[in-house]
Amino acid sequence: MRRAIVALLLVLLAVLLLPYLIAPFYRAGHPVSALMAWRWITGAPVSRQWIDFNAISPSLPRSVVASEDTNFCRHHGVDWGALREAIDDAQEGERLRGASTITQQVAKNLFLWPLPGPIRKLLEFPLALWIDLVLPKQRILEIYLNIAEWGPSGQFGANAGAMYAFGHPASALAPRESALLAAILPNPVKRSARIPGPGVRRLAGTYAARAQAAGLPRCWTENRAF
């Protein structure tokens, strides 16, 4: 019995350490998310055409950072300030809002998707810190833009999302189109950039203004070759 428990603990430890071993190798290649893999296994449709970061319209990463993680260039995987603000708001009875960074979402999408929320969050924080340490900011953002779900029927990544919503690739996105795509995250099933409702249009206007004001952050433009 004791041997079985030890063996089980060793297997669990190996499973927990595996993402830390794999993450440094994602400096290259075309990673897929756990949800994409699950859909392939179950026979659900998946559409994803990888697009390199330098080929993506610059307005898209600007809009996504403006909508998802305004401190992306300043934090190291976890935005502790935004997290404290979210906790304070929840304690004061305000509506619970997300404080996940883009790096945390990369960790979740690549490795932790099937896990229940509290367990996933516990594992997500250290893994996001590790990913930020071993991968350049530009690469983290490139992976996110290529694994995020951007359509209601298995459209993953910016290219598939742009083709579904606007009929052209992510390289040809206009700033308004990029803002609309950013506005449907993280729920492209209920929100649509193809036929945007008033709420999506309002969010897109906000994100477009933020993106324009922010310009091109240095953390992903100072070392474009990585």
Side-chain angles (χ1 to χ4, degrees):
M1 182 66 178
R2 184 177 178 181
R3 288 183 179 179
I5 294 174
V6 171
L8 181 61
L9 290 175
L10 289 174
V11 170
L12 180 60
L13 180 62
V15 170
L16 292 176
L17 290 178
L18 190 60
Y20 293 87
L21 298 175
I22 293 175
F25 293 98
Y26 281 165
R27 291 179 70 94
H30 299 168
V32 300
S33 69
L35 178 56
M36 290 169 64
W38 176 252
R39 289 179 69 92
W40 275 323
I41 291 170
T42 58
V46 173
S47 175
R48 199 279 289 270
Q49 306 85 34
W50 183 277
I51 181 169
D52 291 340
F53 187 88
N54 292 338
I56 299 172
S57 170
S59 62
L60 184 61
R62 289 203 303 262
S63 295
V64 168
V65 168
S67 67
E68 297 280 286
D69 188 359
T70 54
N71 292 322
F72 178 70
C73 285
R74 294 190 290 273
H75 64 64
H76 296 287
V78 177
D79 189 343
W80 300 110
L83 184 61
R84 283 193 296 270
E85 289 179 8
I87 293 172
D88 290 343
D89 289 347
Q91 290 175 340
E92 292 172 5
E94 297 184 22
R95 184 176 64 87
L96 186 64
R97 58 188 176 87
S100 289
T101 65
I102 285 173
T103 314
Q104 286 176 253
Q105 293 179 60
V106 167
K108 178 191 72 174
N109 291 343
L110 287 178
F111 303 113
L112 305 174
W113 166 73
L115 297 176
I119 297 175
R120 189 185 70 234
K121 282 296 181 184
L122 185 64
L123 300 175
E124 194 177 278
F125 290 130
L127 184 54
L129 295 172
W130 175 248
I131 289 173
D132 187 86
L133 179 66
V134 300
L135 297 181
K137 288 285 189 179
Q138 186 189 102
R139 179 59 175 174
I140 293 170
L141 190 52
E142 180 181 57
I143 291 173
Y144 179 71
L145 293 173
N146 277 284
I147 64 174
E149 191 175 10
W150 248 311
S153 52
Q155 288 85 11
F156 289 87
N159 232 12
M163 290 298 299
Y164 174 78
F166 309 115
H168 53 249
S171 59
L173 285 169
R176 175 65 176 174
E177 294 170 335
S178 293
L180 285 168
L181 285 175
I184 67 172
L185 296 173
N187 197 339
V189 175
K190 291 185 177 180
R191 300 177 183 178
S192 174
R194 191 176 189 174
I195 310 174
V200 170
R201 292 197 298 270
R202 177 181 55 79
L203 286 174
T206 299
Y207 300 151
R210 287 182 189 171
Q212 184 176 13
L216 281 171
R218 288 185 60 193
C219 74
W220 73 70
T221 58
E222 60 189 5
N223 55 350
R224 293 182 68 83
F226 54 91

